[in-house]
């Protein structure tokens, strides 16, 4: 007898519905699985037979064929165990075909019949919802993310035995809950940093326009401590953003027990990471570091030490906000709309331009700087000098608190969102057309810009960097028109230029 | 072979070196026949090595000589032998004077007052800006600047002299057709019309490390005085000073802050008796010259009060915006505007990240 169960596979963040078909016919006893399977799926044969046996089902000595369609897409992961078991039970007649016709089932089986959590439940269920599937059985361990699913009937299965009960209507449905958006409490606060008003101002501006920035300073200056605090001045994520980020973490199998990511991600990969880990692209793509930093912060300490391929991937995705990949000729990308924070020393010894300490030759300094390519530097909006950042030992707070800055930043974000940029919803993602439309200057500011461009050798990209940042500074000041003070301040953050590391 | 060719040949056979070449010339019974003499015999007698002999044998072929001369002509390079009029007298009197100089552009005239401005390659902002501005003022006062063309002080001095409308001479440790370091290609071009590029090495010679200390004697030899801007305690600069002292040149040094690594050498020189100089006039008065009436002062009087206030706090050591704000009491907002205006006026410049120095 033949049966069919709905399941799904992830292809990037996209979802491919998978039909799990089982057929039991007379013939020499055998159990075959087909459908372009990776080895963890093929191994499910052993898990399924053991689980069925241990739950009291007897597998008849017949010819069992299991097929996972579409057969031209390579299937990985462990979510197919439970649906395969259910398909076999249905073919055996233990379950009714009509009961399982419109329900999607996910879950890994352990040998004793326990259902184990799997990765990617949230995006897979949401994807199938769009295909018109309304009923789902998910592992008990994934109940957290299950609650986030709206307009669907979701049940949790703790054991294989639960499935017949669910189908018979003898188990409670999972209650959906709303995405809670509270301002997260961060341990680190910007007011822990002693004095440093210029640096704090820089952080505020960067956060307000979601501008990527590079921190340059001698070793031990406090670059990491500073980066860790940027999150505390970013506004909380909207419900939509929480879902987006949670989906990515679900696909990566990194979702916490609560089932939701409510804090903006802060990812700080080591300089030795491979391109694969950072982008997540490969023959079976999983979200990489840049996607895990989606809607949050990607912090690259010792940026110059990263592999050129990694830096190149960062360069490409900074503007595109999407990392493309393909699996079996299907596009399988991940979103990666992150704010980049880089940190590096000004030279190998770290003390330039203090010539009493710095022993690097001009050439060494130049070579050091060149480790970060011009095109990447061009896409980093701001550069901040970091020196002697001290975190107060006594817990004393100085200057503005994160909460105050966050309010300012939030106001600026609201202004930017209302404008409806083509490129995105922050100043950093303005396109040339957006700049033309939304950046009005006073006459003085206009002439200052022209003079700066001519005298200080600003490239086109360099110019638009200054313009974008000055737009943010004006937004923070609540000014719709950009004035000289905004341009002048933006100019001071413009960062690395040709005479930057000159001797 | 005429005597010009003999001198040129002795300079082109790099393996000889200045000392051996002069020796050969002095001991040769017939100077014109030096290259046609018994070279093999000389090698056997241990006067010259095999490498020297093969180089000299090559030179004795007329076709080879013409090839080199044509190449020089094509590149606009002249060879001025020691005996010719036009060879700097000041240099000629020194010990181990090169037998001739290759030059692109011109050589300093005998009535021209030359000052060597030298210092370290890895200089500080303090050294660079002083080298630039003092050389510029010297040039405005009619003094020519002689220097190597290394990064740091040397090139800053040459840039200053050119900016001041004066003449500058670069003495290289390579052939005069090789721009080393490459970053200096802009001044390299200007020097051929506004001074000269000078070397004792024939065109095409690579900038090898041992050439540089040797060429330092030419820098000091061409100059009346040597102005050391910045030097660590032990550096190539001290070689030039030593040669200069042997040649009887005046030594000036820019005093620096005690404890600054780059001023160790100059402060030590002052302690040992060099004249301290931190203004062009300090050097010029030594030669009975006056500074010309200044016009640059007017540039500063254009500044408004706030600009003056900020300008006065910026010096040659990099200063962060935050420190400037603290010292002037200005808000960051105003300070940024003033800093941009001062940068646009070319009075200050940004170095590193958000650190400012005098331009």
């Amino acid at each position: 007898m033949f049966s069919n169960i709905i399941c799904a596979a992830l292809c990037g963040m996209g979802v491919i519905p998978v039909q799990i078909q089982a057929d039991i016919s007379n013939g020499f006893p055998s159990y075959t699985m087909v459908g372009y399977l990776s080895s963890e799926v093929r191994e499910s044969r052993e898990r399924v037979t053991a689980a069925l046996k241990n739950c009291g089902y007897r597998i008849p000595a017949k010819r069992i064929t299991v097929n996972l369609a579409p057969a031209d897409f390579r299937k990985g992961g462990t979510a197919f165990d439970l649906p395969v078991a259910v398909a076999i039970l249905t073919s055996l007649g233990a379950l009714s075909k009509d009961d399982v016709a419109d329900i999607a089932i996910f879950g890994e089986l352990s040998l004793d019949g326990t259902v184990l959590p799997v990765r990617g439940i949230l995006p897979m269920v949401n994807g199938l919802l769009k295909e018109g599937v309304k009923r789902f059985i998910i592992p008990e361990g994934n109940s957290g993310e299950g609650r986030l699913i709206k307009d669907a009937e979701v049940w949790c299965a703790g054991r294989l035995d639960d499935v017949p009960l669910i189908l018979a209507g003898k188990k409670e449905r999972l209650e959906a809950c709303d995405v809670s958006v509270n301002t997260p409490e961060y341990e680190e606060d910007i007011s822990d940093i002693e004095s440093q008003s210029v640096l704090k101002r820089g952080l505020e501006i960067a956060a307000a326009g979601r501008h990527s920035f590079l921190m340059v300073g001698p070793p031990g200056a406090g670059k990491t401590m500073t980066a860790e605090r940027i999150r505390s001045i970013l506004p909380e994520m909207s419900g939509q953003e929480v879902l987006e980020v949670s989906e990515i973490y679900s696909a990566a199998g990194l979702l916490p027990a609560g089932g939701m990511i409510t804090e903006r991600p802060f990812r700080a990969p080591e300089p030795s990471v491979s391109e694969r880990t950072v982008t997540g692209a490969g023959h079976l793509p999983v979200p990489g570091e840049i996607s895990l930093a989606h809607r949050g912060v990607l912090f690259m300490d010792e940026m110059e030490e990263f592999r050129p391929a990694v830096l190149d991937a960062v360069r490409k995705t900074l503007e595109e906000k999407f990392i493309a990949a393909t699996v079996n000729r299907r596009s399988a990308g991940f979103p990666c709309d992150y704010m980049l924070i880089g940190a590096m020393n000004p030279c190998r010894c770290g003390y330039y331009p203090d010539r009493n300490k710095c022993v690097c030759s001009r050439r060494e300094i130049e070579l050091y700087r060149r480790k970060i390519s011009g095109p990447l530097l061009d896409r980093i909006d701001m550069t901040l000098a970091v020196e002697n950042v001290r975190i107060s030992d006594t817990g004393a707070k100085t200057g503005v608190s994160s909460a105050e800055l966050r309010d300012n930043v939030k106001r600026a974000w609201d202004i930017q969102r209302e404008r409806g940029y083509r490129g995105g919803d922050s100043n950093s993602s303005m396109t040339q057309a957006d700049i033309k439309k939304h950046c009005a200057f006073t006459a003085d500011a206009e002439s200052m810009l022209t003079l700066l461009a001519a005298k200080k050798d600003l490239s086109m990209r360099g110019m638009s960097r200054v313009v974008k940042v000055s737009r943010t500074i004006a937004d923070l000041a609540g000014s719709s028109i950009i004035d000289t003070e905004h341009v002048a301040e933006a100019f001071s953050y413009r960062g690395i230029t040709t005479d930057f590391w000159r001797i | 072979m005429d005597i010009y060719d003999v001198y040129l040949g002795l300079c082109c056979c790099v393996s000889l070196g200045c000392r051996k070449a002069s020796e050969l010339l002095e001991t040769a019974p017939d100077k014109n026949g030096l290259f046609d003499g018994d070279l093999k015999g000389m090698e056997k007698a241990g006067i010259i090595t095999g490498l020297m002999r093969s180089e000299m044998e090559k030179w004795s072929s007329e076709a080879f000589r013409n090839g080199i001369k044509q190449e020089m002509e094509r590149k606009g390079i002249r060879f001025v032998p020691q005996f010719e009029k036009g060879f700097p007298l000041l240099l000629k009197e020194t010990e181990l004077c090169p037998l001739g100089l290759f030059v692109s552009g011109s050589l300093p005239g005998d009535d021209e007052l030359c000052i060597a401005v030298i210092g370290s390659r890895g200089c500080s902002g303090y050294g660079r800006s002083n080298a630039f501005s003092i050389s510029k003022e010297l040039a405005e006062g009619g003094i020519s600047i002689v220097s190597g063309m290394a990064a740091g002080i040397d090139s800053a001095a040459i840039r200053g002299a050119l900016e001041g409308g004066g003449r500058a001479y670069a003495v290289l440790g390579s052939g005069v057709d090789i721009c080393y370091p490459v970053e200096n290609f802009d001044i390299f071009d200007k020097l051929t019309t506004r001074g000269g590029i000078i070397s004792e090495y024939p065109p095409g010679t690579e900038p090898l490390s041992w050439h540089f200390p040797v060429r330092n004697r030419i820098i000091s030899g061409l100059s009346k005085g040597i102005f050391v801007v910045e030097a660590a305690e032990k550096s190539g600069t001290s070689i030039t000073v030593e040669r200069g002292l042997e040649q009887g040149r005046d030594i000036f040094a820019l005093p620096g802050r005690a404890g600054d690594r780059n001023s160790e050498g100059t402060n030590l020189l002052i302690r040992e008796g060099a004249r301290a100089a931190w203004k062009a006039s300090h050097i010029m008065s030594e030669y009975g010259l006056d500074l010309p009436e200044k016009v640059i002062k007017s540039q500063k009087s254009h500044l408004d009060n706030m600009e003056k206030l900020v300008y006065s706090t910026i010096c040659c050591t990099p200063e962060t915006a935050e420190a400037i704000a603290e010292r002037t009491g200005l808000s960051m907002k105003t300070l940024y505007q003033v800093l941009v205006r001062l940068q646009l006026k070319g009075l200050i410049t940004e170095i590193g990240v958000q650190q400012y120095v005098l331009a």
Side-chain angles (χ1 to χ4, degrees), chain B residues 18-70:
Chain B
C18 184
R19 195 180 296 275
K20 175 64 77 182
S22 311
E23 211 179 282
L24 285 179
L25 198 65
E26 230 155 81
T27 51
D30 169 23
K31 289 189 168 57
N32 293 41
L34 179 59
F35 283 87
D36 311 317
D38 179 17
L39 295 174
K40 280 206 176 113
M42 282 163 83
E43 188 189 348
K44 278 215 180 99
I47 301 172
I48 56 174
T49 64
L51 180 63
M52 293 174 183
R53 178 180 60 82
S54 69
E55 272 195 334
M56 287 174 77
E57 269 168 1
K58 241 198 255 169
W59 186 256
S60 55
S61 124
E62 190 163 354
F64 181 79
R65 289 203 298 271
N66 286 340
I68 298 257
K69 280 193 242 173
Q70 269 164 20

Side-chain angles (χ1 to χ4, degrees), chain A residues 195-199 216 352-353 355-360 362 383-385 387 448 451-452 455-456 484-485 488-489 491-495 499-503, chain B residues 121-125 128 151-152 183 257 259-262 318 320-322 332-333 336-337 340-341 343-345 348-357 359:
Chain A
S195 55
Q196 298 279 353
S197 56
V198 173
L199 176 64
V216 180
Y352 182 79
R355 276 317 203 155
N356 276 324
K357 287 187 184 163
C358 174
V359 288
C360 301
R362 173 191 170 126
T383 305
L384 301 176
E387 210 161 339
M448 182 186 262
L451 266 177
L452 284 175
K455 281 215 164 178
K456 285 290 172 186
T484 47
E485 61 181 74
E489 188 173 358
F491 181 72
S492 83
Y493 301 120
R494 83 192 178 287
D499 60 345
F500 200 75
W501 259 281
R502 81 190 178 128
I503 293 179
Chain B
R121 274 171 295 164
C123 62
S124 69
R128 180 175 35 76
E183 298 96 281
R257 199 163 52 173
D260 274 10
R261 190 165 46 86
N262 274 311
T320 61
E322 194 155 19
M332 290 308 295
K333 222 185 254 177
Y336 283 131
Q337 293 189 65
V340 165
R341 289 209 297 269
Q343 283 183 71
L344 284 176
K345 285 181 180 163
I348 62 166
T349 185
E350 194 183 343
I351 180 171
V353 190
Q354 288 183 321
Q355 305 209 34
Y356 300 87
V357 289

Side-chain angles (χ1 to χ4, degrees), chain A residues 61-76:
Chain A
K62 288 194 169 180
R63 183 184 160 87
I64 304 175
T65 311
V66 174
N67 175 37
L68 275 63
D72 68 340
F73 176 77
R74 188 159 176 87
K75 290 155 214 79

